[in-house]
Amino acid sequence: MDELTRQLLDAVVAQPEEDAPRLVYADHLQQQGAPRGEFIAVQVALAAEPESPHRDALAARARELLRQHGGKWRSELRLKRGEAGEFQRGFIEELSLSARRFLTQGERLLTVTPFHRLNVSAAGAAEMQELAGSPLLSQLTHLKLSHWVHNRSAVLLADAPHLSRLRSLDVSIMRLRGENVCALVDSPRLPCLEKLNLTFNYLGVEGMRMLARCVGLSRLTTLNLWGNNLGDEGLRLLLASPHLTRLTELDLNNNGIGAEGAKALARAEGLGGLALLNLTCNRVLPEGLRALATAGWLASLKKLELSYSYFNDEGLRALATNPHLAPLEALVLQNNDFGDDGARALASSPYLTRTKVLDVSRNKRLGAEGLRALARSPILASVENLSLDDTAVGPEGARALADATSCRRLRSLSLNKSGIGDEGVSALVRGPLFTELRSLSLSDCGMGDAGARALASCSLLSRLEWLVLEQNEIGLEGARALAESPYLPRSLRLAMRGNTLLSDVRPVFKGRFDDKVTF
């Protein structure tokens, strides 16, 4: 590497979150005819403009460059399988290393890639002590300790002298006590900490009582408390804290919260900036959902997750008629107890017009009538990701979905275990639903060769990136139709596990789809 190239790469490493040094480096490489330069420029453009009209072309070019050169670029890091993350803006930014590997290899890695995210996959007590004092930590903005790290060693980070840039800390499954968490939250050594993941630390009511007193909570924008046994009382104590002033994301998944906790949430005054709320696996019930529907802070919410929350059509109706939900972009309602009446309530809502993600999977009473109501409503006009797994959609529901003329922005559709069969698949391909589709999942939906032939003949699937057809009854005839399709792109990732494929069709598949087929 010549001196100028070295200087430009050092500038990228010194400012890992800035685009400008990367683009200067990319331009230099392109002038030298190195394909890495184009790859960096393309990925930077993709990250900077996710809604760009040129996104598909840029993404395709990035995939092709990675297919041709990714192996070589990865090998330059001299890391083991699983230690390097995916390329982001042209470089590997995330590493998963044991504490010992990081301490011995980190300095070398900083000469070749601007990593600033680290997952410590294993560490004993002595290694954690050494890690906490390492100047290499000054590069990090994100740090995760895996459950193979010595229990409660995470508290050493409260006194680590080189974490002044750290913004995100994940100490899931560390069995930390309330006082350990408070030491981290209030540490003057972590002045930039904004995101804290405390999943499965089982802090309980007393832990919440202590956490609520922490002044450092006022720095946090993201707080993940999944699986901490809060209950209604623990949640009430947390919400009473005067320091919860900046939260934009709150994850309360699996905390034994009931209707009373939902009421406390609805009354909370410090959640005015909340953009994401996850109440999955809590027994909210219709009573709790009705209370939540009255919360003024819903007006700022962009994503609401209420899967496994034990509410029915009545509860969903209360939610759907709330004008505060107008800004909502993602609504996840898996495995509750609503059916067609609940779907009709969603369909008739005049407020859910910006929803991009709608997931109503595993509501087994949701069938063709409910889907027909959704298909006729304006709600699907904005939806880009639709999940209907394990519902009673059937062929009739598939036909109703195919007739949803307003649903032109759909990029991902999942109908696993929906019972649509060959008849339903054939109906779907005849409608306009697939115009923008990039991901289609039809596992265990009862389709066979006829459904595979219908997919193979659909010209609208030419931009598909993922096709999942696992656990169906596709045989040799259907497999050949897919392999010989003039429309399915060569770069397609195809999943075919669990079908009745004959072994002699596998070479046909692999030759056709760049070895991106799983059996």
Side-chain angles (χ1 to χ4, degrees):
M1 185 181 294
D2 62 71
E3 184 177 352
L4 177 57
T5 304
R6 177 76 267 163
Q7 290 175 354
L8 294 177
L9 181 54
D10 287 345
V12 173
V13 172
Q15 303 176 75
E17 296 185 283
E18 298 298 323
D19 286 343
R22 297 188 187 219
L23 292 174
V24 172
Y25 182 63
D27 184 60
H28 172 70
L29 292 181
Q30 285 181 288
Q31 290 178 20
Q32 295 182 327
R36 183 69 178 272
E38 182 189 2
F39 180 68
I40 295 169
V42 167
Q43 281 211 321
V44 167
L46 280 168
E49 297 184 66
E51 302 298 326
S52 168
H54 307 297
R55 179 170 182 79
D56 289 339
L58 288 170
R61 183 55 181 159
R63 286 194 300 272
E64 180 59 23
L65 287 167
L66 198 56
R67 186 186 69 81
Q68 293 179 10
H69 308 286
K72 176 180 179 293
W73 296 336
R74 282 183 177 275
S75 69
E76 293 170 355
L77 299 180
R78 305 206 305 271
L79 291 174
K80 300 174 184 176
R81 182 182 294 273
E83 290 186 333
E86 299 299 321
F87 282 92
Q88 302 289 334
R89 296 182 299 145
F91 294 89
I92 300 294
E93 296 184 346
E94 184 170 354
L95 304 176
S96 181
L97 301 169
S98 69
R100 179 53 51 202
R101 285 274 289 167
F102 178 69
L103 290 166
T104 57
Q105 300 293 318
E107 192 169 345
R108 176 187 66 80
L109 288 166
L110 278 177
T111 66
V112 290
T113 194
F115 73 83
H116 59 103
R117 298 168 177 263
L118 174 65
N119 172 17
V120 182
S121 57
E127 291 168 324
M128 275 301 298
Q129 186 78 47
E130 187 178 353
L131 180 67
S134 172
L136 288 170
L137 294 184
S138 63
Q139 183 74 12
L140 301 184
T141 59
H142 297 71
L143 176 60
K144 177 180 179 180
L145 304 183
S146 84
H147 64 282
W148 293 110
V149 172
H150 182 264
N151 264 5
R152 302 194 178 98
S153 292
V155 73
L156 296 171
L157 299 177
D159 292 318
H162 303 292
L163 284 175
S164 60
R165 296 174 64 183
L166 195 72
R167 295 204 311 271
S168 174
L169 177 61
D170 186 338
V171 286
S172 304
I173 325 177
M174 295 294 294
R175 289 283 186 173
L176 298 178
R177 300 187 182 98
E179 58 266 28
N180 303 142
V181 173
C182 289
L184 291 169
V185 170
D186 282 338
S187 171
R189 301 282 196 175
L190 302 171
C192 295
L193 188 65
E194 296 177 337
K195 300 181 179 182
L196 182 60
N197 189 340
L198 296 168
T199 295
F200 287 119
N201 274 285
Y202 305 103
L203 294 169
V205 173
E206 285 308 307
M208 290 305 100
R209 194 187 309 277
M210 298 175 72
L211 184 59
R213 300 191 191 110
C214 293
V215 176
L217 277 181
S218 61
R219 296 198 301 256
L220 297 186
T221 58
T222 299
L223 181 58
N224 189 335
L225 291 167
W226 185 346
N228 271 280
N229 296 340
L230 270 63
D232 293 340
E233 178 63 10
L235 179 58
R236 186 191 64 78
L237 288 168
L238 177 67
L239 295 173
S241 172
H243 309 301
L244 282 180
T245 55
R246 294 186 61 213
L247 274 191
T248 58
E249 298 185 13
L250 179 59
D251 194 327
L252 297 169
N253 190 333
N254 192 22
N255 268 294
I257 296 167
E260 292 304 312
K263 291 175 185 177
L265 264 174
R267 295 191 299 267
E269 297 179 357
L271 303 179
L274 203 63
L276 181 152
L277 175 63
N278 187 354
L279 278 169
T280 295
C281 291
N282 288 290
R283 204 174 182 84
V284 173
L285 302 174
E287 179 185 358
L289 199 55
R290 284 195 300 271
L292 272 179
T294 66
W297 47 259
L298 283 175
S300 65
L301 215 58
K302 295 289 190 290
K303 182 175 183 178
L304 178 59
E305 297 190 44
L306 287 165
S307 300
Y308 298 83
S309 293
Y310 298 88
F311 62 82
N312 53 18
D313 296 322
E314 177 192 355
L316 189 54
R317 191 175 299 111
L319 193 67
T321 55
N322 188 335
H324 291 315
L325 289 180
L328 204 64
E329 295 178 0
L331 184 57
V332 183
L333 304 170
Q334 289 187 20
N335 206 82
N336 285 293
D337 189 34
F338 65 83
D340 292 340
D341 284 346
R344 279 190 281 265
L346 281 177
S348 61
S349 173
Y351 309 115
L352 296 172
T353 57
R354 301 182 191 177
T355 306
K356 296 180 180 180
V357 177
L358 180 61
D359 187 346
V360 292
S361 300
R362 299 181 181 86
N363 286 284
K364 298 180 185 295
R365 295 197 297 116
L366 175 58
E369 287 303 313
L371 199 54
R372 186 172 289 110
L374 285 171
R376 292 171 178 168
S377 77
I379 186 174
L380 291 189
S382 60
V383 170
E384 297 177 6
N385 296 278
L386 179 61
S387 295
L388 294 157
D389 299 342
D390 202 4
T391 55
V393 172
E396 283 298 314
R399 275 192 284 271
L401 195 57
D403 292 337
T405 55
S406 65
C407 191
R408 296 298 183 93
R409 301 181 64 180
L410 202 62
R411 297 180 68 87
S412 175
L413 175 62
S414 188
L415 282 160
N416 302 320
K417 298 182 72 174
S418 59
I420 63 173
D422 290 334
E423 186 180 348
V425 174
S426 299
L428 286 173
V429 301
R430 288 196 292 268
L433 204 63
F434 293 168
T435 305
E436 298 293 329
L437 207 64
R438 301 295 181 272
S439 176
L440 177 60
S441 191
L442 297 170
S443 292
D444 198 11
C445 70
M447 69 177 291
D449 289 338
R453 286 196 303 271
L455 289 172
S457 66
C458 181
S459 61
L460 294 179
L461 293 179
S462 60
R463 289 191 281 182
L464 204 62
E465 297 171 5
W466 286 90
L467 179 57
V468 184
L469 302 175
E470 297 180 338
Q471 303 298 325
N472 281 298
E473 299 171 8
I474 300 171
L476 181 60
E477 183 184 346
R480 283 183 173 155
L482 292 169
E484 296 169 4
S485 169
Y487 305 114
L488 293 175
R490 186 175 185 84
S491 59
L492 179 72
R493 294 179 181 272
L494 177 62
M496 297 291 295
R497 288 190 185 93
N499 282 281
T500 55
L501 298 172
L502 299 179
S503 59
D504 61 346
V505 82
R506 296 190 181 196
V508 177
F509 263 130
K510 292 194 174 185
R512 171 65 171 81
F513 294 116
D514 291 337
D515 295 335
K516 294 176 181 176
V517 184
T518 54
F519 296 100

